[in-house]
Amino acid sequence: MSRAEEKKLVLVVEDEEDIQQMVCYNLLRSGWRVECATSGEDALEIFAAKHPDLILLDLMLPGLSGMEVCRRIRNGADNADVPVIMLTARGEEDDIVAGLEAGADDYVTKPFSPRVLLARVAAVLRRKGGGERMPLITAGPLTIDPNRHHAEVDGRELDLTPTEFAVLSLLASRPGWVFSRDSIIDAVRGHGYAVTPRAVDVQVFGLRRKLGAASSMIETVRGVGYRLRREGKMSMANNVDTLLVKPDTP
Ligand code: CA
């Protein structure tokens, strides 16, 4: 971010004034541009007008909830794949699962440190924005294009959430390899994450449903985790690491 025109715009949606100020102050100091909203309605208005590069979205808002804001953005025509990081209260596991299902890319639980938040923002933007092109991954009937966030099975496009896409990309990066639930969480969402194994199971359940006839490609390894069945001939990305997002260690 050496030049002004490269500064990314973050939309901060948060009704608690002290949290909003802390977040905005730290984002500005780190060289981001910032827009603030204190309600879901404001958030959608600013989103439509300013085209932010990323949204930090509090779930508990007066009026329209954060979850509903996320859903409307994802279902909209314009900039629908903007990265969204939810701000949630600690221990709200159901909210986290529902938020990820509504299409959020990541979440941070309150209270959080500015450094953790900034690391997550940078990681999500890196994951979504990426500079260099990544190679296609193919495994059996499955083809994944990490650059376009596009996956298809037997030529049929899969409509995946960002998290489902990340899980599928991870499994497909090493067909036959068993990934534990913990390693899936680490690879997809960053180390030290308070995601429960159940959240991984929810993602896999959704993936299998969308894979349809090819759902058996994802095998459950009892007591361990999941793997993509090794079958047919497959070519692998050499550059698998680019798919695995590791958190920053500031
Ligand atoms: Ca709130």
Side-chain angles (χ1 to χ4, degrees), residues 22-239:
M22 183 270 274
V23 169
C24 292
Y25 169 77
N26 282 284
L27 287 169
L28 287 168
R29 238 184 47 161
S30 301
W32 311 101
R33 290 183 298 130
V34 174
E35 286 280 342
C36 294
T38 51
S39 73
E41 288 81 354
D42 280 358
L44 289 173
E45 222 165 87
I46 296 173
F47 171 74
K50 304 277 184 175
H51 308 285
D53 297 288
L54 181 135
I55 301 177
L56 292 176
L57 183 59
D58 181 28
L59 286 189
M60 297 283 281
L61 293 166
L64 209 57
S65 74
M67 210 83 81
E68 185 54 29
V69 170
C70 186
R71 217 170 276 128
R72 290 194 191 184
I73 286 170
R74 289 288 182 250
N75 291 334
D78 206 17
N79 200 12
D81 63 348
V82 62
V84 174
I85 300 177
M86 301 181 287
L87 308 177
T88 67
R90 193 176 292 284
E92 299 295 328
E93 188 196 324
D94 288 344
D95 280 355
I96 291 165
V97 171
L100 294 174
E101 285 179 330
D105 296 278
D106 207 342
Y107 70 89
V108 179
T109 50
K110 297 178 193 177
F112 49 80
S113 79
R115 286 170 70 198
V116 166
L117 181 73
L118 293 171
R120 290 278 160 74
V121 168
V124 167
L125 283 173
R126 198 169 54 236
R127 178 161 22 134
K128 280 268 194 157
E132 75 233 56
R133 293 193 61 75
M134 292 177 276
L136 290 185
I137 305 170
T138 61
L142 194 66
T143 305
I144 298 173
D145 182 351
N147 307 291
R148 295 193 297 134
H149 248 250
H150 176 96
E152 56 182 48
V153 65
D154 284 326
R156 174 175 63 88
E157 183 173 357
L158 298 172
D159 181 21
L160 304 178
T161 66
T163 306
E164 287 169 347
F165 183 86
V167 172
L168 185 63
S169 298
L170 176 69
L171 296 177
S173 68
R174 292 185 81 175
W177 182 269
V178 181
F179 291 89
S180 69
R181 288 179 176 80
D182 283 348
S183 71
I184 293 173
I185 292 166
D186 284 350
V188 171
R189 314 218 62 86
H191 286 285
Y193 237 81
V195 173
T196 62
R198 184 180 146 228
V200 175
D201 295 339
V202 167
Q203 298 298 331
V204 170
F205 178 80
L207 267 175
R208 280 184 173 142
R209 207 180 43 200
K210 291 173 182 179
L211 283 167
S215 65
S216 63
M217 284 189 77
I218 301 180
E219 296 179 326
T220 305
V221 182
R222 275 188 69 164
V224 186
Y226 296 98
R227 74 174 159 220
L228 199 76
R229 202 171 62 218
R230 191 186 271 283
E231 63 180 347
K233 75 175 169 61
M234 52 192 73
S235 69
M236 295 272 301
N238 305 322
N239 205 3

